Coordinates of all heavy atoms in Angstrom, one line a residue:
M240 N -36.8 30.0 -49.9 CA -38.2 30.1 -50.3 C -38.6 31.5 -50.6 O -39.8 31.7 -51.0 CB -39.2 29.4 -49.4 CG -39.2 29.9 -48.0 SD -40.3 28.9 -46.9 CE -41.9 29.3 -47.6
G241 N -37.8 32.5 -50.3 CA -38.2 33.9 -50.4 C -39.0 34.4 -49.2 O -39.4 33.6 -48.4
D242 N -39.2 35.7 -49.3 CA -39.9 36.4 -48.2 C -41.3 36.6 -48.7 O -41.6 37.5 -49.4 CB -39.3 37.7 -47.9 CG -39.9 38.4 -46.8 OD1 -40.8 37.8 -46.1 OD2 -39.7 39.7 -46.6
I243 N -42.2 35.7 -48.3 CA -43.6 35.7 -48.7 C -44.4 36.7 -47.8 O -44.4 36.4 -46.6 CB -44.2 34.3 -48.7 CG1 -43.5 33.3 -49.6 CG2 -45.7 34.4 -49.2 CD1 -43.9 31.9 -49.5
P244 N -45.0 37.7 -48.3 CA -45.7 38.7 -47.4 C -46.9 38.0 -46.7 O -47.5 37.0 -47.3 CB -46.2 39.8 -48.3 CG -46.2 39.1 -49.7 CD -45.2 38.1 -49.7
Q245 N -47.2 38.5 -45.5 CA -48.3 37.9 -44.8 C -49.6 37.8 -45.5 O -50.4 36.8 -45.4 CB -48.5 38.6 -43.4 CG -49.4 37.9 -42.4 CD -48.9 36.6 -42.0 OE1 -47.7 36.4 -41.7 NE2 -49.7 35.6 -42.0
P246 N -50.1 38.9 -46.2 CA -51.3 38.8 -46.9 C -51.3 37.6 -48.0 O -52.4 36.9 -48.1 CB -51.5 40.1 -47.6 CG -50.7 41.0 -46.8 CD -49.5 40.2 -46.3
L247 N -50.2 37.4 -48.6 CA -50.2 36.2 -49.6 C -50.2 34.9 -48.8 O -50.8 33.9 -49.2 CB -49.0 36.3 -50.4 CG -48.8 35.2 -51.6 CD1 -50.0 35.2 -52.4 CD2 -47.5 35.5 -52.4
K248 N -49.5 34.8 -47.7 CA -49.7 33.6 -46.9 C -51.0 33.3 -46.5 O -51.5 32.1 -46.5 CB -48.7 33.8 -45.6 CG -47.3 33.8 -45.8 CD -46.6 34.0 -44.5 CE -45.1 34.0 -44.7 NZ -44.3 34.2 -43.4
N249 N -51.8 34.4 -46.1 CA -53.2 34.2 -45.8 C -54.0 33.6 -47.0 O -55.0 32.9 -46.8 CB -53.8 35.5 -45.3 CG -53.1 36.0 -44.0 OD1 -52.6 35.2 -43.3 ND2 -53.3 37.3 -43.8
L250 N -53.7 34.1 -48.2 CA -54.4 33.7 -49.3 C -54.1 32.2 -49.7 O -54.9 31.4 -50.0 CB -54.1 34.6 -50.6 CG -54.8 35.9 -50.6 CD1 -54.3 36.7 -51.8 CD2 -56.3 35.8 -50.7
I251 N -52.8 31.9 -49.6 CA -52.3 30.5 -50.0 C -52.7 29.5 -48.9 O -53.1 28.4 -49.3 CB -50.8 30.5 -50.1 CG1 -50.3 31.4 -51.3 CG2 -50.3 29.1 -50.3 CD1 -48.8 31.6 -51.4
G252 N -52.7 29.9 -47.7 CA -53.0 29.0 -46.5 C -51.7 28.8 -45.8 O -50.7 28.3 -46.2
L253 N -51.7 29.3 -44.5 CA -50.6 29.2 -43.7 C -50.1 27.8 -43.4 O -48.9 27.6 -43.3 CB -50.9 29.9 -42.3 CG -50.9 31.4 -42.2 CD1 -51.3 31.8 -40.9 CD2 -49.5 31.9 -42.6
E254 N -51.0 26.8 -43.4 CA -50.6 25.5 -43.1 C -49.6 25.0 -44.2 O -48.6 24.3 -43.8 CB -51.8 24.5 -43.0 CG -52.6 24.3 -44.3 CD -53.6 25.4 -44.6 OE1 -53.6 26.5 -43.9 OE2 -54.4 25.2 -45.5
H255 N -49.8 25.3 -45.5 CA -48.9 24.8 -46.5 C -47.5 25.5 -46.4 O -46.5 24.9 -46.5 CB -49.5 25.1 -47.8 CG -50.8 24.5 -48.1 ND1 -51.0 23.1 -48.0 CD2 -52.0 25.0 -48.3 CE1 -52.3 22.8 -48.2 NE2 -52.9 24.0 -48.3
I256 N -47.5 26.8 -46.2 CA -46.3 27.6 -46.1 C -45.5 27.1 -44.8 O -44.3 27.0 -44.9 CB -46.6 29.1 -45.9 CG1 -47.4 29.6 -47.1 CG2 -45.3 29.9 -45.7 CD1 -46.6 29.6 -48.4
N257 N -46.2 26.9 -43.7 CA -45.5 26.6 -42.5 C -44.9 25.2 -42.5 O -43.8 24.9 -41.9 CB -46.5 26.6 -41.2 CG -46.9 28.0 -40.9 OD1 -46.2 29.0 -41.3 ND2 -47.9 28.1 -40.1
V258 N -45.5 24.3 -43.3 CA -44.9 23.0 -43.5 C -43.5 23.1 -44.2 O -42.5 22.5 -43.8 CB -45.8 22.0 -44.3 CG1 -45.1 20.7 -44.7 CG2 -47.0 21.6 -43.4
I259 N -43.5 23.9 -45.3 CA -42.3 24.0 -46.1 C -41.3 24.7 -45.2 O -40.1 24.3 -45.2 CB -42.6 24.8 -47.3 CG1 -43.5 24.0 -48.3 CG2 -41.3 25.0 -48.1 CD1 -44.1 24.8 -49.4
A260 N -41.7 25.9 -44.6 CA -40.7 26.7 -43.8 C -40.2 25.8 -42.6 O -39.0 25.9 -42.3 CB -41.4 27.9 -43.3
G261 N -41.0 25.1 -42.0 CA -40.6 24.2 -40.8 C -39.5 23.2 -41.3 O -38.5 22.9 -40.6
R262 N -39.8 22.6 -42.5 CA -38.9 21.6 -43.0 C -37.5 22.3 -43.3 O -36.4 21.7 -42.9 CB -39.4 21.0 -44.3 CG -38.7 19.8 -44.8 CD -39.4 19.4 -46.1 NE -40.8 18.9 -45.9 CZ -41.9 19.2 -46.7 NH1 -41.6 19.9 -47.8 NH2 -43.0 18.8 -46.5
L263 N -37.5 23.4 -43.8 CA -36.3 24.2 -44.1 C -35.6 24.6 -42.8 O -34.4 24.6 -42.7 CB -36.6 25.4 -45.0 CG -37.0 25.0 -46.4 CD1 -37.5 26.3 -47.1 CD2 -35.8 24.5 -47.2
D264 N -36.4 25.1 -41.8 CA -35.8 25.5 -40.5 C -35.0 24.3 -39.9 O -33.9 24.4 -39.4 CB -36.9 25.9 -39.6 CG -37.4 27.3 -39.8 OD1 -36.7 28.1 -40.5 OD2 -38.6 27.6 -39.3
M265 N -35.7 23.1 -40.0 CA -35.0 21.9 -39.4 C -33.7 21.6 -40.1 O -32.7 21.3 -39.4 CB -35.9 20.7 -39.4 CG -37.1 20.9 -38.5 SD -38.2 19.3 -38.5 CE -37.1 18.2 -37.7
A266 N -33.7 21.7 -41.4 CA -32.4 21.5 -42.1 C -31.4 22.5 -41.8 O -30.2 22.2 -41.7 CB -32.7 21.5 -43.6
V267 N -31.7 23.8 -41.7 CA -30.8 24.8 -41.4 C -30.1 24.6 -40.0 O -28.9 24.6 -39.9 CB -31.5 26.2 -41.4 CG1 -30.6 27.3 -40.8 CG2 -31.8 26.6 -42.8
V268 N -30.9 24.3 -39.0 CA -30.4 24.2 -37.6 C -29.6 22.9 -37.5 O -28.5 22.9 -37.0 CB -31.6 24.1 -36.6 CG1 -31.0 23.7 -35.2 CG2 -32.3 25.4 -36.5
K269 N -30.0 21.8 -38.2 CA -29.2 20.6 -38.2 C -27.9 20.8 -39.0 O -26.8 20.4 -38.6 CB -30.0 19.4 -38.8 CG -31.1 19.0 -37.9 CD -31.8 17.8 -38.5 CE -33.0 17.3 -37.6 NZ -33.8 16.2 -38.3
G270 N -28.0 21.5 -40.1 CA -26.8 21.7 -41.0 C -25.8 22.6 -40.3 O -24.6 22.3 -40.4
L271 N -26.2 23.6 -39.6 CA -25.2 24.5 -39.0 C -24.7 23.9 -37.7 O -23.6 24.3 -37.2 CB -25.9 25.9 -38.7 CG -26.3 26.6 -40.0 CD1 -27.0 28.0 -39.6 CD2 -25.1 26.9 -40.9
D272 N -25.4 23.0 -37.1 CA -24.9 22.2 -35.9 C -24.4 23.2 -34.8 O -23.2 23.0 -34.3 CB -23.8 21.2 -36.4 CG -23.5 20.2 -35.3 OD1 -24.4 19.9 -34.5 OD2 -22.4 19.7 -35.3
I273 N -25.2 24.1 -34.4 CA -24.7 25.1 -33.4 C -24.8 24.5 -32.0 O -23.9 24.8 -31.2 CB -25.6 26.4 -33.6 CG1 -25.4 27.0 -34.9 CG2 -25.3 27.3 -32.4 CD1 -26.4 28.1 -35.3
L274 N -25.9 23.8 -31.7 CA -26.1 23.2 -30.4 C -26.5 21.7 -30.5 O -27.1 21.3 -31.5 CB -27.2 23.9 -29.6 CG -26.9 25.3 -29.0 CD1 -28.2 25.8 -28.4 CD2 -25.8 25.2 -28.0
P275 N -26.1 20.9 -29.6 CA -26.5 19.5 -29.7 C -28.0 19.4 -29.4 O -28.7 20.3 -28.9 CB -25.8 18.9 -28.5 CG -25.5 20.0 -27.6 CD -25.3 21.2 -28.4
N276 N -28.6 18.3 -29.9 CA -30.0 18.1 -29.7 C -30.4 17.9 -28.2 O -29.6 17.4 -27.4 CB -30.5 16.8 -30.4 CG -30.5 16.9 -31.9 OD1 -30.2 18.0 -32.4 ND2 -30.8 15.9 -32.6
R277 N -31.6 18.3 -27.9 CA -32.2 18.1 -26.6 C -33.5 17.4 -26.7 O -34.4 18.0 -27.4 CB -32.3 19.3 -25.7 CG -31.0 20.0 -25.5 CD -31.1 21.2 -24.5 NE -29.8 21.9 -24.3 CZ -29.7 22.9 -23.4 NH1 -30.7 23.3 -22.8 NH2 -28.5 23.4 -23.3
S278 N -33.6 16.2 -26.3 CA -34.9 15.4 -26.5 C -35.3 15.3 -28.0 O -36.4 15.4 -28.3 CB -36.1 16.1 -25.7 OG -35.8 16.2 -24.4
G279 N -34.2 15.2 -28.8 CA -34.4 15.0 -30.3 C -34.7 16.3 -31.0 O -34.8 16.2 -32.2
L280 N -34.9 17.4 -30.3 CA -35.1 18.6 -31.0 C -34.1 19.7 -30.6 O -34.0 20.0 -29.4 CB -36.6 19.2 -30.7 CG -37.0 20.5 -31.3 CD1 -37.2 20.2 -32.8 CD2 -38.3 21.0 -30.7
P281 N -33.3 20.3 -31.5 CA -32.4 21.3 -31.2 C -33.1 22.5 -30.5 O -34.1 22.9 -30.9 CB -31.8 21.7 -32.5 CG -32.1 20.6 -33.4 CD -33.4 20.0 -33.0
I282 N -32.5 22.9 -29.4 CA -33.1 24.0 -28.5 C -33.3 25.2 -29.4 O -34.3 26.0 -29.3 CB -32.3 24.3 -27.3 CG1 -33.2 25.2 -26.3 CG2 -31.0 24.8 -27.6 CD1 -32.6 25.3 -25.0
I283 N -32.4 25.6 -30.3 CA -32.5 26.7 -31.1 C -33.8 26.6 -32.0 O -34.5 27.6 -32.2 CB -31.3 27.0 -32.0 CG1 -30.2 27.5 -31.1 CG2 -31.6 28.0 -33.1 CD1 -28.9 27.8 -31.8
L284 N -34.1 25.5 -32.5 CA -35.3 25.3 -33.3 C -36.6 25.5 -32.5 O -37.5 26.2 -32.9 CB -35.3 23.9 -33.9 CG -36.4 23.5 -35.0 CD1 -36.1 24.5 -36.2 CD2 -36.3 22.1 -35.4
S285 N -36.6 25.0 -31.3 CA -37.8 25.3 -30.4 C -37.9 26.8 -30.1 O -39.0 27.2 -30.1 CB -37.7 24.5 -29.1 OG -36.6 25.0 -28.3
Q286 N -36.8 27.5 -30.0 CA -36.9 28.9 -29.8 C -37.3 29.7 -31.0 O -38.1 30.7 -30.9 CB -35.5 29.4 -29.3 CG -35.1 29.0 -27.9 CD -33.7 29.3 -27.6 OE1 -32.8 29.6 -28.4 NE2 -33.4 29.3 -26.2

């Protein structure tokens, strides 16, 4: 999704950016399969 600068995030609305980024984070962590899930959430994602 590119590196969106913080001032632009503030203009667009952090909630929208964070939803997209969070969805991508989850795909990345699951796809790379570095650690097994703990309570349904990979520990790396929580970190």
